[in-house]
Structures are given as structure tokens and as C-alpha cells.
Amino acid sequence: MTEPIDSAHSSGSPIAPTPEPPYYAVIFTSTRSDGDRGYGQMASRMVQLAREQPGFLGVESARGSDGLGITVSYWQSEEAIARWKAHVDHAQAQALGKRTWYTEYHVRVAKVERAYGHSPGV
Amino acid sequence: MTEPIDSAHSSGSPIAPTPEPPYYAVIFTSTRSDGDRGYGQMASRMVQLAREQPGFLGVESARGSDGLGITVSYWQSEEAIARWKAHVDHAQAQALGKRTWYTEYHVRVAKVERAYGHSPGV
């Protein structure tokens, strides 16, 4: 149930170095069907492709031992999210995901209004 | 690096059965320090306590094998989030988390504007 989604950023931390709000978050939660069936490879490819899209800010991803996966991608605008959703390769991956890889999923599009954190040395 | 956060809902799915938007999401991403040191027990207690708060809608939580944890809690309003942040037991857990359990964390408060999903049989 784990997959090699590379959510590490150039800072070396898996926490996305997003700018000051406002910006947008796409919260994708899912449960997987059994077996990989090409999922790991496609997930890595989609993260790579997302990174190349205009307006992409970062991504964080985790799948726990109970099978629940949470991937949060961050975007500059709703337009950037709409473009990424409609990207032809991504649309194909979404269709495959619905048919093959996910038993259940939920997508929430949210506007990040404030943020704070704690890093080593801060 | 895994912990027994119980994010299962009465539906049996670990995906939170949230209402129609708008509502709020608190996206908490973190990396853990080594060793449990009371973390698992406190995390379970905080999820239990959050469930009892007015305006709480649901929670989803996952920690991957790379150590990145994502917990998203859902709330009816910003006021509900502010009350939960200030809850005395939760404030104590936050202080302990900063001092003991997390090497790094980031909190993002976001307004969920739209949502869609796919469930078995839907």
C-alpha cells in the first residue's frame, strides 16, 4: 500500500515550502485497491508532471498503514488547478485511477487563508 | 514512525464524510523525531477530544514510510478552529509537540470551496 511518490523538495524536507497565503490547496484523499498494477509508476509520473505546470507551488503526500492516502498539492490560483485537472495525461491518469487503483477517493479544493509553522532553527 | 491515530468514521471509511462546502480544513503536515515518547497515546487522545468539539466535521490522517505525516481536520467555521486551537488540553499537546515530537511542522488553514469524490456504488 505504499508507493514511491517523491514529495521531497529542494530544501530536503517533505514539507512544501509554500509562499505567504493566499494560495490554493487540492486535498486528495483515497483508499487503494489491492496490488500495484502500474500505480506507483503513474503516481511518480504525475507528481513529476505537476511540478512542470504553471502555478504549481508544491506537493505533500503520505499513505498510512491502514491504506488511507493523503496528497495535498498547492497552487497559485484556481485557474492553475483547472488547467492541471484538464491536462490530457492527467485526465487519463484520473480515469485509470477511478477504474483501477482507488476503491474510494475524495477531492477538496480549498483556499489557504493563513499558515504558520516550526522548522529546525526557526 | 506510524501511530495509531484512529481516523475511521462511522461509515467505516477513513475518508471523512464532510457536508457540502463551504467548510474549513486545517492541514497539519509534520516530520517526527525518533521514538514514540508518548506521542501515539497523545495523538489518539487529541483526535478523540477533537471529535467532541462543537463544529468538528471529521479528520483524515496518514503517515508515510518517509516520516511525513499529514492530518487534515475539517470544521464548520473559523471560530470552531480558533476554539479548538485554544482548548487547554490541546494547547498543552501543541507545546509538547513543538518541544518533543516534531522536527518540523506546518499548519495551513483553508476554506474548502468545492469537493467531489467517488465511492463504491456511487
Side-chain angles (χ1 to χ4, degrees), chain A residues 18 23 29 60 85 107-109 111 113-114 116, chain B residues 18 23 29 60 74 107-109 111 113-114 116:
Chain A
T18 42
Y23 53 86
T29 48
E60 296 165 341
K85 183 166 193 264
V107 180
R108 296 176 177 96
V109 179
K111 184 179 188 178
E113 299 182 338
R114 51 202 175 82
Y116 56 94
Chain B
T18 42
Y23 53 87
T29 49
E60 294 164 343
Y74 300 100
V107 179
R108 296 175 177 97
V109 179
K111 185 179 187 177
E113 298 182 339
R114 51 203 175 82
Y116 56 95

mmCIF file with all atom_site columns, all heavy atoms in Angstrom, chain A residues 18 23 29 60 85 107-109 111 113-114 116, chain B residues 18 23 29 60 74 107-109 111 113-114 116:
data_model
loop_
_atom_site.group_PDB
_atom_site.id
_atom_site.type_symbol
_atom_site.label_atom_id
_atom_site.label_alt_id
_atom_site.label_comp_id
_atom_site.label_asym_id
_atom_site.label_entity_id
_atom_site.label_seq_id
_atom_site.pdbx_PDB_ins_code
_atom_site.Cartn_x
_atom_site.Cartn_y
_atom_site.Cartn_z
_atom_site.occupancy
_atom_site.B_iso_or_equiv
_atom_site.pdbx_formal_charge
_atom_site.auth_seq_id
_atom_site.auth_comp_id
_atom_site.auth_asym_id
_atom_site.auth_atom_id
_atom_site.pdbx_PDB_model_num
ATOM 1   N N   . THR A 1 18  ? 5.768   26.538 0.723   1.00 0.00 ? 18  THR A N   1
ATOM 2   C CA  . THR A 1 18  ? 4.788   27.405 0.063   1.00 0.00 ? 18  THR A CA  1
ATOM 3   C C   . THR A 1 18  ? 4.984   28.869 0.470   1.00 0.00 ? 18  THR A C   1
ATOM 4   O O   . THR A 1 18  ? 5.506   29.155 1.546   1.00 0.00 ? 18  THR A O   1
ATOM 5   C CB  . THR A 1 18  ? 3.365   26.942 0.421   1.00 0.00 ? 18  THR A CB  1
ATOM 6   O OG1 . THR A 1 18  ? 3.334   26.608 1.812   1.00 0.00 ? 18  THR A OG1 1
ATOM 7   C CG2 . THR A 1 18  ? 2.978   25.731 -0.387  1.00 0.00 ? 18  THR A CG2 1
ATOM 8   N N   . TYR A 1 23  ? -3.189  31.180 -1.259  1.00 0.00 ? 23  TYR A N   1
ATOM 9   C CA  . TYR A 1 23  ? -2.928  30.305 -2.403  1.00 0.00 ? 23  TYR A CA  1
ATOM 10  C C   . TYR A 1 23  ? -3.927  29.150 -2.268  1.00 0.00 ? 23  TYR A C   1
ATOM 11  O O   . TYR A 1 23  ? -4.764  29.166 -1.345  1.00 0.00 ? 23  TYR A O   1
ATOM 12  C CB  . TYR A 1 23  ? -1.465  29.836 -2.437  1.00 0.00 ? 23  TYR A CB  1
ATOM 13  C CG  . TYR A 1 23  ? -0.950  29.198 -1.180  1.00 0.00 ? 23  TYR A CG  1
ATOM 14  C CD1 . TYR A 1 23  ? -1.116  27.843 -0.930  1.00 0.00 ? 23  TYR A CD1 1
ATOM 15  C CD2 . TYR A 1 23  ? -0.296  29.955 -0.204  1.00 0.00 ? 23  TYR A CD2 1
ATOM 16  C CE1 . TYR A 1 23  ? -0.642  27.275 0.236   1.00 0.00 ? 23  TYR A CE1 1
ATOM 17  C CE2 . TYR A 1 23  ? 0.175   29.383 0.970   1.00 0.00 ? 23  TYR A CE2 1
ATOM 18  C CZ  . TYR A 1 23  ? 0.005   28.041 1.174   1.00 0.00 ? 23  TYR A CZ  1
ATOM 19  O OH  . TYR A 1 23  ? 0.461   27.474 2.341   1.00 0.00 ? 23  TYR A OH  1
ATOM 20  N N   . THR A 1 29  ? -7.808  12.646 -0.943  1.00 0.00 ? 29  THR A N   1
ATOM 21  C CA  . THR A 1 29  ? -7.714  11.505 -0.023  1.00 0.00 ? 29  THR A CA  1
ATOM 22  C C   . THR A 1 29  ? -8.282  10.279 -0.725  1.00 0.00 ? 29  THR A C   1
ATOM 23  O O   . THR A 1 29  ? -9.267  10.359 -1.450  1.00 0.00 ? 29  THR A O   1
ATOM 24  C CB  . THR A 1 29  ? -8.467  11.764 1.296   1.00 0.00 ? 29  THR A CB  1
ATOM 25  O OG1 . THR A 1 29  ? -9.769  12.278 1.018   1.00 0.00 ? 29  THR A OG1 1
ATOM 26  C CG2 . THR A 1 29  ? -7.748  12.802 2.130   1.00 0.00 ? 29  THR A CG2 1
ATOM 27  N N   . GLU A 1 60  ? 2.633   17.504 -1.004  1.00 0.00 ? 60  GLU A N   1
ATOM 28  C CA  . GLU A 1 60  ? 2.943   16.683 0.172   1.00 0.00 ? 60  GLU A CA  1
ATOM 29  C C   . GLU A 1 60  ? 2.106   15.420 0.063   1.00 0.00 ? 60  GLU A C   1
ATOM 30  O O   . GLU A 1 60  ? 0.927   15.493 -0.279  1.00 0.00 ? 60  GLU A O   1
ATOM 31  C CB  . GLU A 1 60  ? 2.570   17.441 1.452   1.00 0.00 ? 60  GLU A CB  1
ATOM 32  C CG  . GLU A 1 60  ? 3.399   18.697 1.644   1.00 0.00 ? 60  GLU A CG  1
ATOM 33  C CD  . GLU A 1 60  ? 2.854   19.661 2.678   1.00 0.00 ? 60  GLU A CD  1
ATOM 34  O OE1 . GLU A 1 60  ? 1.659   19.570 3.007   1.00 0.00 ? 60  GLU A OE1 1
ATOM 35  O OE2 . GLU A 1 60  ? 3.616   20.513 3.136   1.00 0.00 ? 60  GLU A OE2 1
ATOM 36  N N   . LYS A 1 85  ? -6.108  19.866 -13.891 1.00 0.00 ? 85  LYS A N   1
ATOM 37  C CA  . LYS A 1 85  ? -7.168  18.840 -13.923 1.00 0.00 ? 85  LYS A CA  1
ATOM 38  C C   . LYS A 1 85  ? -7.459  18.415 -15.364 1.00 0.00 ? 85  LYS A C   1
ATOM 39  O O   . LYS A 1 85  ? -7.724  17.245 -15.639 1.00 0.00 ? 85  LYS A O   1
ATOM 40  C CB  . LYS A 1 85  ? -8.434  19.368 -13.253 1.00 0.00 ? 85  LYS A CB  1
ATOM 41  C CG  . LYS A 1 85  ? -9.557  18.324 -13.187 1.00 0.00 ? 85  LYS A CG  1
ATOM 42  C CD  . LYS A 1 85  ? -10.653 18.738 -12.226 1.00 0.00 ? 85  LYS A CD  1
ATOM 43  C CE  . LYS A 1 85  ? -11.586 17.568 -11.937 1.00 0.00 ? 85  LYS A CE  1
ATOM 44  N NZ  . LYS A 1 85  ? -12.780 17.567 -12.778 1.00 0.00 ? 85  LYS A NZ  1
ATOM 45  N N   . VAL A 1 107 ? -11.922 14.594 -3.416  1.00 0.00 ? 107 VAL A N   1
ATOM 46  C CA  . VAL A 1 107 ? -11.105 15.739 -3.792  1.00 0.00 ? 107 VAL A CA  1
ATOM 47  C C   . VAL A 1 107 ? -11.737 16.988 -3.202  1.00 0.00 ? 107 VAL A C   1
ATOM 48  O O   . VAL A 1 107 ? -12.942 17.211 -3.361  1.00 0.00 ? 107 VAL A O   1
ATOM 49  C CB  . VAL A 1 107 ? -11.022 15.899 -5.327  1.00 0.00 ? 107 VAL A CB  1
ATOM 50  C CG1 . VAL A 1 107 ? -10.154 17.107 -5.695  1.00 0.00 ? 107 VAL A CG1 1
ATOM 51  C CG2 . VAL A 1 107 ? -10.486 14.635 -5.979  1.00 0.00 ? 107 VAL A CG2 1
ATOM 52  N N   . ARG A 1 108 ? -10.925 17.774 -2.498  1.00 0.00 ? 108 ARG A N   1
ATOM 53  C CA  . ARG A 1 108 ? -11.421 19.038 -1.941  1.00 0.00 ? 108 ARG A CA  1
ATOM 54  C C   . ARG A 1 108 ? -10.511 20.166 -2.406  1.00 0.00 ? 108 ARG A C   1
ATOM 55  O O   . ARG A 1 108 ? -9.299  20.078 -2.255  1.00 0.00 ? 108 ARG A O   1
ATOM 56  C CB  . ARG A 1 108 ? -11.448 18.987 -0.419  1.00 0.00 ? 108 ARG A CB  1
ATOM 57  C CG  . ARG A 1 108 ? -12.414 17.946 0.155   1.00 0.00 ? 108 ARG A CG  1
ATOM 58  C CD  . ARG A 1 108 ? -12.308 17.889 1.666   1.00 0.00 ? 108 ARG A CD  1
ATOM 59  N NE  . ARG A 1 108 ? -13.256 16.964 2.275   1.00 0.00 ? 108 ARG A NE  1
ATOM 60  C CZ  . ARG A 1 108 ? -12.972 15.713 2.617   1.00 0.00 ? 108 ARG A CZ  1
ATOM 61  N NH1 . ARG A 1 108 ? -11.774 15.208 2.390   1.00 0.00 ? 108 ARG A NH1 1
ATOM 62  N NH2 . ARG A 1 108 ? -13.891 14.952 3.183   1.00 0.00 ? 108 ARG A NH2 1
ATOM 63  N N   . VAL A 1 109 ? -11.102 21.192 -2.974  1.00 0.00 ? 109 VAL A N   1
ATOM 64  C CA  . VAL A 1 109 ? -10.336 22.358 -3.425  1.00 0.00 ? 109 VAL A CA  1
ATOM 65  C C   . VAL A 1 109 ? -10.567 23.468 -2.404  1.00 0.00 ? 109 VAL A C   1
ATOM 66  O O   . VAL A 1 109 ? -11.719 23.824 -2.114  1.00 0.00 ? 109 VAL A O   1
ATOM 67  C CB  . VAL A 1 109 ? -10.771 22.810 -4.825  1.00 0.00 ? 109 VAL A CB  1
ATOM 68  C CG1 . VAL A 1 109 ? -9.978  24.040 -5.259  1.00 0.00 ? 109 VAL A CG1 1
ATOM 69  C CG2 . VAL A 1 109 ? -10.588 21.667 -5.828  1.00 0.00 ? 109 VAL A CG2 1
ATOM 70  N N   . LYS A 1 111 ? -9.057  27.241 -0.411  1.00 0.00 ? 111 LYS A N   1
ATOM 71  C CA  . LYS A 1 111 ? -8.217  28.436 -0.438  1.00 0.00 ? 111 LYS A CA  1
ATOM 72  C C   . LYS A 1 111 ? -7.498  28.566 0.908   1.00 0.00 ? 111 LYS A C   1
ATOM 73  O O   . LYS A 1 111 ? -8.149  28.709 1.947   1.00 0.00 ? 111 LYS A O   1
ATOM 74  C CB  . LYS A 1 111 ? -9.088  29.667 -0.685  1.00 0.00 ? 111 LYS A CB  1
ATOM 75  C CG  . LYS A 1 111 ? -8.297  30.942 -0.838  1.00 0.00 ? 111 LYS A CG  1
ATOM 76  C CD  . LYS A 1 111 ? -9.235  32.104 -1.108  1.00 0.00 ? 111 LYS A CD  1
ATOM 77  C CE  . LYS A 1 111 ? -8.442  33.357 -1.446  1.00 0.00 ? 111 LYS A CE  1
ATOM 78  N NZ  . LYS A 1 111 ? -9.330  34.491 -1.765  1.00 0.00 ? 111 LYS A NZ  1
ATOM 79  N N   . GLU A 1 113 ? -5.886  30.374 3.701   1.00 0.00 ? 113 GLU A N   1
ATOM 80  C CA  . GLU A 1 113 ? -6.039  31.759 4.145   1.00 0.00 ? 113 GLU A CA  1
ATOM 81  C C   . GLU A 1 113 ? -4.946  32.190 5.104   1.00 0.00 ? 113 GLU A C   1
ATOM 82  O O   . GLU A 1 113 ? -4.589  33.358 5.159   1.00 0.00 ? 113 GLU A O   1
ATOM 83  C CB  . GLU A 1 113 ? -7.421  31.943 4.774   1.00 0.00 ? 113 GLU A CB  1
ATOM 84  C CG  . GLU A 1 113 ? -8.533  31.655 3.762   1.00 0.00 ? 113 GLU A CG  1
ATOM 85  C CD  . GLU A 1 113 ? -9.934  31.859 4.314   1.00 0.00 ? 113 GLU A CD  1
ATOM 86  O OE1 . GLU A 1 113 ? -10.109 31.826 5.552   1.00 0.00 ? 113 GLU A OE1 1
ATOM 87  O OE2 . GLU A 1 113 ? -10.858 32.057 3.491   1.00 0.00 ? 113 GLU A OE2 1
ATOM 88  N N   . ARG A 1 114 ? -4.445  31.229 5.913   1.00 0.00 ? 114 ARG A N   1
ATOM 89  C CA  . ARG A 1 114 ? -3.311  31.559 6.776   1.00 0.00 ? 114 ARG A CA  1
ATOM 90  C C   . ARG A 1 114 ? -2.508  30.309 7.052   1.00 0.00 ? 114 ARG A C   1
ATOM 91  O O   . ARG A 1 114 ? -3.017  29.189 6.913   1.00 0.00 ? 114 ARG A O   1
ATOM 92  C CB  . ARG A 1 114 ? -3.748  32.246 8.067   1.00 0.00 ? 114 ARG A CB  1
ATOM 93  C CG  . ARG A 1 114 ? -4.809  31.546 8.817   1.00 0.00 ? 114 ARG A CG  1
ATOM 94  C CD  . ARG A 1 114 ? -5.566  32.486 9.770   1.00 0.00 ? 114 ARG A CD  1
ATOM 95  N NE  . ARG A 1 114 ? -6.657  31.731 10.372  1.00 0.00 ? 114 ARG A NE  1
ATOM 96  C CZ  . ARG A 1 114 ? -6.532  30.932 11.414  1.00 0.00 ? 114 ARG A CZ  1
ATOM 97  N NH1 . ARG A 1 114 ? -5.373  30.803 12.012  1.00 0.00 ? 114 ARG A NH1 1
ATOM 98  N NH2 . ARG A 1 114 ? -7.567  30.265 11.894  1.00 0.00 ? 114 ARG A NH2 1
ATOM 99  N N   . TYR A 1 116 ? 1.186   28.802 9.369   1.00 0.00 ? 116 TYR A N   1
ATOM 100 C CA  . TYR A 1 116 ? 2.313   29.035 10.268  1.00 0.00 ? 116 TYR A CA  1
ATOM 101 C C   . TYR A 1 116 ? 3.010   27.709 10.502  1.00 0.00 ? 116 TYR A C   1
ATOM 102 O O   . TYR A 1 116 ? 2.459   26.644 10.214  1.00 0.00 ? 116 TYR A O   1
ATOM 103 C CB  . TYR A 1 116 ? 1.857   29.660 11.592  1.00 0.00 ? 116 TYR A CB  1
ATOM 104 C CG  . TYR A 1 116 ? 0.812   28.868 12.336  1.00 0.00 ? 116 TYR A CG  1
ATOM 105 C CD1 . TYR A 1 116 ? 1.160   27.956 13.319  1.00 0.00 ? 116 TYR A CD1 1
ATOM 106 C CD2 . TYR A 1 116 ? -0.542  29.026 12.036  1.00 0.00 ? 116 TYR A CD2 1
ATOM 107 C CE1 . TYR A 1 116 ? 0.198   27.220 14.002  1.00 0.00 ? 116 TYR A CE1 1
ATOM 108 C CE2 . TYR A 1 116 ? -1.508  28.287 12.714  1.00 0.00 ? 116 TYR A CE2 1
ATOM 109 C CZ  . TYR A 1 116 ? -1.126  27.396 13.688  1.00 0.00 ? 116 TYR A CZ  1
ATOM 110 O OH  . TYR A 1 116 ? -2.085  26.664 14.348  1.00 0.00 ? 116 TYR A OH  1
ATOM 111 N N   . THR B 1 18  ? -17.675 14.600 4.947   1.00 0.00 ? 18  THR B N   1
ATOM 112 C CA  . THR B 1 18  ? -17.946 16.027 5.160   1.00 0.00 ? 18  THR B CA  1
ATOM 113 C C   . THR B 1 18  ? -19.183 16.474 4.376   1.00 0.00 ? 18  THR B C   1
ATOM 114 O O   . THR B 1 18  ? -19.546 15.869 3.368   1.00 0.00 ? 18  THR B O   1
ATOM 115 C CB  . THR B 1 18  ? -16.720 16.850 4.731   1.00 0.00 ? 18  THR B CB  1
ATOM 116 O OG1 . THR B 1 18  ? -16.193 16.314 3.516   1.00 0.00 ? 18  THR B OG1 1
ATOM 117 C CG2 . THR B 1 18  ? -15.630 16.809 5.789   1.00 0.00 ? 18  THR B CG2 1
ATOM 118 N N   . TYR B 1 23  ? -16.794 24.787 3.986   1.00 0.00 ? 23  TYR B N   1
ATOM 119 C CA  . TYR B 1 23  ? -16.399 24.494 5.371   1.00 0.00 ? 23  TYR B CA  1
ATOM 120 C C   . TYR B 1 23  ? -14.891 24.709 5.421   1.00 0.00 ? 23  TYR B C   1
ATOM 121 O O   . TYR B 1 23  ? -14.291 25.115 4.411   1.00 0.00 ? 23  TYR B O   1
ATOM 122 C CB  . TYR B 1 23  ? -16.833 23.078 5.780   1.00 0.00 ? 23  TYR B CB  1
ATOM 123 C CG  . TYR B 1 23  ? -16.402 21.964 4.865   1.00 0.00 ? 23  TYR B CG  1
ATOM 124 C CD1 . TYR B 1 23  ? -15.159 21.344 5.017   1.00 0.00 ? 23  TYR B CD1 1
ATOM 125 C CD2 . TYR B 1 23  ? -17.221 21.515 3.826   1.00 0.00 ? 23  TYR B CD2 1
ATOM 126 C CE1 . TYR B 1 23  ? -14.768 20.315 4.173   1.00 0.00 ? 23  TYR B CE1 1
ATOM 127 C CE2 . TYR B 1 23  ? -16.832 20.494 2.979   1.00 0.00 ? 23  TYR B CE2 1
ATOM 128 C CZ  . TYR B 1 23  ? -15.610 19.890 3.157   1.00 0.00 ? 23  TYR B CZ  1
ATOM 129 O OH  . TYR B 1 23  ? -15.215 18.889 2.305   1.00 0.00 ? 23  TYR B OH  1
ATOM 130 N N   . THR B 1 29  ? 0.929   19.298 8.470   1.00 0.00 ? 29  THR B N   1
ATOM 131 C CA  . THR B 1 29  ? 1.957   18.379 7.952   1.00 0.00 ? 29  THR B CA  1
ATOM 132 C C   . THR B 1 29  ? 3.144   18.443 8.888   1.00 0.00 ? 29  THR B C   1
ATOM 133 O O   . THR B 1 29  ? 3.525   19.507 9.376   1.00 0.00 ? 29  THR B O   1
ATOM 134 C CB  . THR B 1 29  ? 2.380   18.718 6.519   1.00 0.00 ? 29  THR B CB  1
ATOM 135 O OG1 . THR B 1 29  ? 2.667   20.110 6.409   1.00 0.00 ? 29  THR B OG1 1
ATOM 136 C CG2 . THR B 1 29  ? 1.262   18.408 5.543   1.00 0.00 ? 29  THR B CG2 1
ATOM 137 N N   . GLU B 1 60  ? -8.835  13.200 8.759   1.00 0.00 ? 60  GLU B N   1
ATOM 138 C CA  . GLU B 1 60  ? -8.156  12.190 7.947   1.00 0.00 ? 60  GLU B CA  1
ATOM 139 C C   . GLU B 1 60  ? -6.678  12.280 8.294   1.00 0.00 ? 60  GLU B C   1
ATOM 140 O O   . GLU B 1 60  ? -6.131  13.382 8.401   1.00 0.00 ? 60  GLU B O   1
ATOM 141 C CB  . GLU B 1 60  ? -8.370  12.479 6.458   1.00 0.00 ? 60  GLU B CB  1
ATOM 142 C CG  . GLU B 1 60  ? -9.825  12.340 6.026   1.00 0.00 ? 60  GLU B CG  1
ATOM 143 C CD  . GLU B 1 60  ? -10.122 12.986 4.685   1.00 0.00 ? 60  GLU B CD  1
ATOM 144 O OE1 . GLU B 1 60  ? -9.319  13.817 4.213   1.00 0.00 ? 60  GLU B OE1 1
ATOM 145 O OE2 . GLU B 1 60  ? -11.181 12.677 4.121   1.00 0.00 ? 60  GLU B OE2 1
ATOM 146 N N   . TYR B 1 74  ? -11.477 18.807 9.628   1.00 0.00 ? 74  TYR B N   1
ATOM 147 C CA  . TYR B 1 74  ? -12.489 19.617 8.944   1.00 0.00 ? 74  TYR B CA  1
ATOM 148 C C   . TYR B 1 74  ? -13.427 20.228 9.977   1.00 0.00 ? 74  TYR B C   1
ATOM 149 O O   . TYR B 1 74  ? -13.827 19.555 10.943  1.00 0.00 ? 74  TYR B O   1
ATOM 150 C CB  . TYR B 1 74  ? -13.266 18.761 7.950   1.00 0.00 ? 74  TYR B CB  1
ATOM 151 C CG  . TYR B 1 74  ? -12.369 18.153 6.889   1.00 0.00 ? 74  TYR B CG  1
ATOM 152 C CD1 . TYR B 1 74  ? -11.952 16.827 6.979   1.00 0.00 ? 74  TYR B CD1 1
ATOM 153 C CD2 . TYR B 1 74  ? -11.908 18.918 5.823   1.00 0.00 ? 74  TYR B CD2 1
ATOM 154 C CE1 . TYR B 1 74  ? -11.103 16.273 6.019   1.00 0.00 ? 74  TYR B CE1 1
ATOM 155 C CE2 . TYR B 1 74  ? -11.064 18.369 4.863   1.00 0.00 ? 74  TYR B CE2 1
ATOM 156 C CZ  . TYR B 1 74  ? -10.671 17.054 4.970   1.00 0.00 ? 74  TYR B CZ  1
ATOM 157 O OH  . TYR B 1 74  ? -9.828  16.520 4.022   1.00 0.00 ? 74  TYR B OH  1
ATOM 158 N N   . VAL B 1 107 ? 1.218   24.340 9.546   1.00 0.00 ? 107 VAL B N   1
ATOM 159 C CA  . VAL B 1 107 ? -0.235  24.349 9.689   1.00 0.00 ? 107 VAL B CA  1
ATOM 160 C C   . VAL B 1 107 ? -0.800  25.313 8.658   1.00 0.00 ? 107 VAL B C   1
ATOM 161 O O   . VAL B 1 107 ? -0.334  26.451 8.542   1.00 0.00 ? 107 VAL B O   1
ATOM 162 C CB  . VAL B 1 107 ? -0.655  24.821 11.098  1.00 0.00 ? 107 VAL B CB  1
ATOM 163 C CG1 . VAL B 1 107 ? -2.174  24.835 11.221  1.00 0.00 ? 107 VAL B CG1 1
ATOM 164 C CG2 . VAL B 1 107 ? -0.025  23.947 12.176  1.00 0.00 ? 107 VAL B CG2 1
ATOM 165 N N   . ARG B 1 108 ? -1.763  24.842 7.879   1.00 0.00 ? 108 ARG B N   1
ATOM 166 C CA  . ARG B 1 108 ? -2.431  25.706 6.906   1.00 0.00 ? 108 ARG B CA  1
ATOM 167 C C   . ARG B 1 108 ? -3.933  25.662 7.151   1.00 0.00 ? 108 ARG B C   1
ATOM 168 O O   . ARG B 1 108 ? -4.510  24.575 7.236   1.00 0.00 ? 108 ARG B O   1
ATOM 169 C CB  . ARG B 1 108 ? -2.128  25.251 5.478   1.00 0.00 ? 108 ARG B CB  1
ATOM 170 C CG  . ARG B 1 108 ? -0.647  25.357 5.092   1.00 0.00 ? 108 ARG B CG  1
ATOM 171 C CD  . ARG B 1 108 ? -0.415  24.783 3.720   1.00 0.00 ? 108 ARG B CD  1
ATOM 172 N NE  . ARG B 1 108 ? 0.973   24.909 3.264   1.00 0.00 ? 108 ARG B NE  1
ATOM 173 C CZ  . ARG B 1 108 ? 1.898   23.953 3.359   1.00 0.00 ? 108 ARG B CZ  1
ATOM 174 N NH1 . ARG B 1 108 ? 1.600   22.795 3.929   1.00 0.00 ? 108 ARG B NH1 1
ATOM 175 N NH2 . ARG B 1 108 ? 3.115   24.156 2.897   1.00 0.00 ? 108 ARG B NH2 1
ATOM 176 N N   . VAL B 1 109 ? -4.543  26.825 7.288   1.00 0.00 ? 109 VAL B N   1
ATOM 177 C CA  . VAL B 1 109 ? -5.983  26.907 7.484   1.00 0.00 ? 109 VAL B CA  1
ATOM 178 C C   . VAL B 1 109 ? -6.602  27.339 6.160   1.00 0.00 ? 109 VAL B C   1
ATOM 179 O O   . VAL B 1 109 ? -6.214  28.373 5.590   1.00 0.00 ? 109 VAL B O   1
ATOM 180 C CB  . VAL B 1 109 ? -6.342  27.902 8.597   1.00 0.00 ? 109 VAL B CB  1
ATOM 181 C CG1 . VAL B 1 109 ? -7.852  28.004 8.768   1.00 0.00 ? 109 VAL B CG1 1
ATOM 182 C CG2 . VAL B 1 109 ? -5.674  27.496 9.909   1.00 0.00 ? 109 VAL B CG2 1
ATOM 183 N N   . LYS B 1 111 ? -10.174 27.383 3.407   1.00 0.00 ? 111 LYS B N   1
ATOM 184 C CA  . LYS B 1 111 ? -11.621 27.305 3.216   1.00 0.00 ? 111 LYS B CA  1
ATOM 185 C C   . LYS B 1 111 ? -11.911 26.379 2.038   1.00 0.00 ? 111 LYS B C   1
ATOM 186 O O   . LYS B 1 111 ? -11.508 26.671 0.899   1.00 0.00 ? 111 LYS B O   1
ATOM 187 C CB  . LYS B 1 111 ? -12.169 28.697 2.931   1.00 0.00 ? 111 LYS B CB  1
ATOM 188 C CG  . LYS B 1 111 ? -13.682 28.741 2.826   1.00 0.00 ? 111 LYS B CG  1
ATOM 189 C CD  . LYS B 1 111 ? -14.161 30.156 2.578   1.00 0.00 ? 111 LYS B CD  1
ATOM 190 C CE  . LYS B 1 111 ? -15.681 30.236 2.656   1.00 0.00 ? 111 LYS B CE  1
ATOM 191 N NZ  . LYS B 1 111 ? -16.148 31.617 2.485   1.00 0.00 ? 111 LYS B NZ  1
ATOM 192 N N   . GLU B 1 113 ? -13.835 25.130 -0.875  1.00 0.00 ? 113 GLU B N   1
ATOM 193 C CA  . GLU B 1 113 ? -14.810 25.807 -1.726  1.00 0.00 ? 113 GLU B CA  1
ATOM 194 C C   . GLU B 1 113 ? -15.614 24.829 -2.581  1.00 0.00 ? 113 GLU B C   1
ATOM 195 O O   . GLU B 1 113 ? -16.753 25.095 -2.929  1.00 0.00 ? 113 GLU B O   1
ATOM 196 C CB  . GLU B 1 113 ? -14.082 26.828 -2.608  1.00 0.00 ? 113 GLU B CB  1
ATOM 197 C CG  . GLU B 1 113 ? -13.393 27.904 -1.743  1.00 0.00 ? 113 GLU B CG  1
ATOM 198 C CD  . GLU B 1 113 ? -12.696 28.981 -2.552  1.00 0.00 ? 113 GLU B CD  1
ATOM 199 O OE1 . GLU B 1 113 ? -12.378 28.743 -3.743  1.00 0.00 ? 113 GLU B OE1 1
ATOM 200 O OE2 . GLU B 1 113 ? -12.475 30.067 -1.986  1.00 0.00 ? 113 GLU B OE2 1
ATOM 201 N N   . ARG B 1 114 ? -14.979 23.719 -2.974  1.00 0.00 ? 114 ARG B N   1
ATOM 202 C CA  . ARG B 1 114 ? -15.732 22.702 -3.702  1.00 0.00 ? 114 ARG B CA  1
ATOM 203 C C   . ARG B 1 114 ? -15.108 21.346 -3.444  1.00 0.00 ? 114 ARG B C   1
ATOM 204 O O   . ARG B 1 114 ? -13.942 21.244 -3.053  1.00 0.00 ? 114 ARG B O   1
ATOM 205 C CB  . ARG B 1 114 ? -15.824 23.003 -5.203  1.00 0.00 ? 114 ARG B CB  1
ATOM 206 C CG  . ARG B 1 114 ? -14.546 23.282 -5.868  1.00 0.00 ? 114 ARG B CG  1
ATOM 207 C CD  . ARG B 1 114 ? -14.726 24.106 -7.153  1.00 0.00 ? 114 ARG B CD  1
ATOM 208 N NE  . ARG B 1 114 ? -13.404 24.423 -7.673  1.00 0.00 ? 114 ARG B NE  1
ATOM 209 C CZ  . ARG B 1 114 ? -12.671 23.624 -8.401  1.00 0.00 ? 114 ARG B CZ  1
ATOM 210 N NH1 . ARG B 1 114 ? -13.150 22.432 -8.750  1.00 0.00 ? 114 ARG B NH1 1
ATOM 211 N NH2 . ARG B 1 114 ? -11.468 23.967 -8.805  1.00 0.00 ? 114 ARG B NH2 1
ATOM 212 N N   . TYR B 1 116 ? -15.558 16.888 -4.598  1.00 0.00 ? 116 TYR B N   1
ATOM 213 C CA  . TYR B 1 116 ? -16.228 15.823 -5.330  1.00 0.00 ? 116 TYR B CA  1
ATOM 214 C C   . TYR B 1 116 ? -15.495 14.529 -5.025  1.00 0.00 ? 116 TYR B C   1
ATOM 215 O O   . TYR B 1 116 ? -14.368 14.536 -4.529  1.00 0.00 ? 116 TYR B O   1
ATOM 216 C CB  . TYR B 1 116 ? -16.267 16.103 -6.832  1.00 0.00 ? 116 TYR B CB  1
ATOM 217 C CG  . TYR B 1 116 ? -14.917 16.348 -7.454  1.00 0.00 ? 116 TYR B CG  1
ATOM 218 C CD1 . TYR B 1 116 ? -14.214 15.312 -8.066  1.00 0.00 ? 116 TYR B CD1 1
ATOM 219 C CD2 . TYR B 1 116 ? -14.342 17.615 -7.437  1.00 0.00 ? 116 TYR B CD2 1
ATOM 220 C CE1 . TYR B 1 116 ? -12.974 15.536 -8.641  1.00 0.00 ? 116 TYR B CE1 1
ATOM 221 C CE2 . TYR B 1 116 ? -13.099 17.847 -8.003  1.00 0.00 ? 116 TYR B CE2 1
ATOM 222 C CZ  . TYR B 1 116 ? -12.415 16.799 -8.608  1.00 0.00 ? 116 TYR B CZ  1
ATOM 223 O OH  . TYR B 1 116 ? -11.179 17.016 -9.164  1.00 0.00 ? 116 TYR B OH  1
#
